[in-house]
Amino acid sequence: MADDEDPKEYRWETGYEKTWEAIKEDDDGFLEASVAEIIQRAKRKRQQNKQVNSKLGMMRHLYVILDCSDAMSAQDLKPTRLLCTLKILENFIEEFFDQNPISQMGIIIMHNKRAEKICDLGGNFRKYIKTVNGLTKTALIGEPSLQNGLELALKSLKLLPSHASREILVIMGSLTTCDPSDINKTISIFNLD
């Protein structure tokens, strides 16, 4: 029996999704409209699948640590990595507070080997959207320091009660981090429980 007559196919031989076709550039070469459409479709799908009687029982405390170093000025994502990241972060903030209405968020940026808290923990999502939109004017300089960002977030999170969730989301565009000491020690003592 010849190979071409065998009706059995392997999974990798079957049809595939062309995921790159879902994203289209507009006339100016930006992907923003296509990304916004994909996000809206995902929101609608989540709303359809949402259970009516679901209850949220956990208060979440989240720090977003954002790389604002020179690496975020790269134009591999149009117009820059930072602007694409900020647009997606804006949508993430809306979703986070929609799904976790009693939770709190804070924002820390890393640039020039330092970490800076630009928003303390709080629950007003409009404040965070405004702050994220203001980051478009931030000077992208130097290298990020992941260790300084983690330690700054840890100072605030360790004061919170143990019944609340304490989380950190790191968004990095740089492939390196410039830390004052061994970051592995910081990570190893990072157990908040």
Side-chain angles (χ1 to χ4, degrees):
M1 180 183 238
D3 287 338
D4 55 293
E5 295 174 10
D6 189 8
K8 181 179 166 188
E9 291 183 348
Y10 292 101
R11 181 156 179 86
W12 56 270
E13 291 179 321
T14 61
Y16 56 91
E17 293 181 38
K18 297 179 181 180
T19 54
W20 60 89
E21 290 181 355
I23 298 176
K24 302 281 187 213
E25 291 183 359
D26 62 9
D27 296 335
D28 297 326
F30 296 118
L31 303 174
E32 210 170 284
S34 183
V35 170
E37 181 183 330
I38 292 169
I39 290 170
Q40 283 300 101
R41 260 190 271 136
K43 279 184 183 179
R44 282 193 296 271
K45 187 175 182 179
R46 267 195 309 276
Q47 290 290 23
Q48 289 174 347
N49 296 336
K50 202 173 191 179
Q51 294 179 357
V52 178
N53 294 328
S54 65
K55 295 181 182 178
L56 300 175
M58 183 178 287
M59 185 166 183
R60 298 173 69 184
H61 295 90
L62 171 71
Y63 264 107
V64 176
I65 301 177
L66 180 63
D67 181 1
C68 286
S69 67
D70 187 44
M72 294 298 276
S73 63
Q75 294 184 344
D76 53 351
L77 299 173
K78 298 289 184 196
T80 63
R81 282 184 191 173
L82 180 69
L83 294 177
C84 288
T85 302
L86 293 178
K87 185 64 180 169
I88 292 172
L89 182 57
E90 184 180 323
N91 291 324
F92 171 79
I93 291 170
E94 286 181 30
E95 283 291 318
F96 177 81
F97 283 109
D98 182 47
Q99 295 176 10
N100 307 285
I102 61 170
S103 295
Q104 296 185 351
M105 178 185 287
I107 300 175
I108 296 172
I109 61 171
M110 302 176 295
H111 59 101
N112 208 17
K113 302 176 189 170
R114 295 184 179 0
E116 177 185 348
K117 189 186 304 182
I118 58 171
C119 273
D120 284 318
L121 287 173
N124 184 354
F125 84 93
R126 287 182 184 86
K127 172 184 173 185
Y128 299 105
I129 300 289
K130 185 177 180 183
T131 301
V132 165
N133 287 333
L135 287 174
T136 58
K137 300 175 185 114
T138 301
L140 303 175
I141 53 173
E143 295 177 314
S145 174
L146 182 57
Q147 184 177 22
N148 288 338
L150 291 173
E151 288 177 354
L152 185 58
L154 182 60
K155 284 180 188 175
S156 295
L157 291 176
K158 72 179 180 182
L159 301 173
L160 297 172
S162 61
H163 67 271
S165 164
R166 296 170 283 185
E167 307 167 38
I168 295 176
L169 171 66
V170 178
I171 302 171
M172 293 268 302
S174 176
L175 296 177
T176 61
T177 176
C178 186
D179 299 318
S181 62
D182 186 9
I183 192 171
N184 293 317
K185 290 180 182 175
T186 302
I187 292 170
S188 68
I189 63 166
F190 209 73
N191 186 4
L192 295 171
D193 295 334

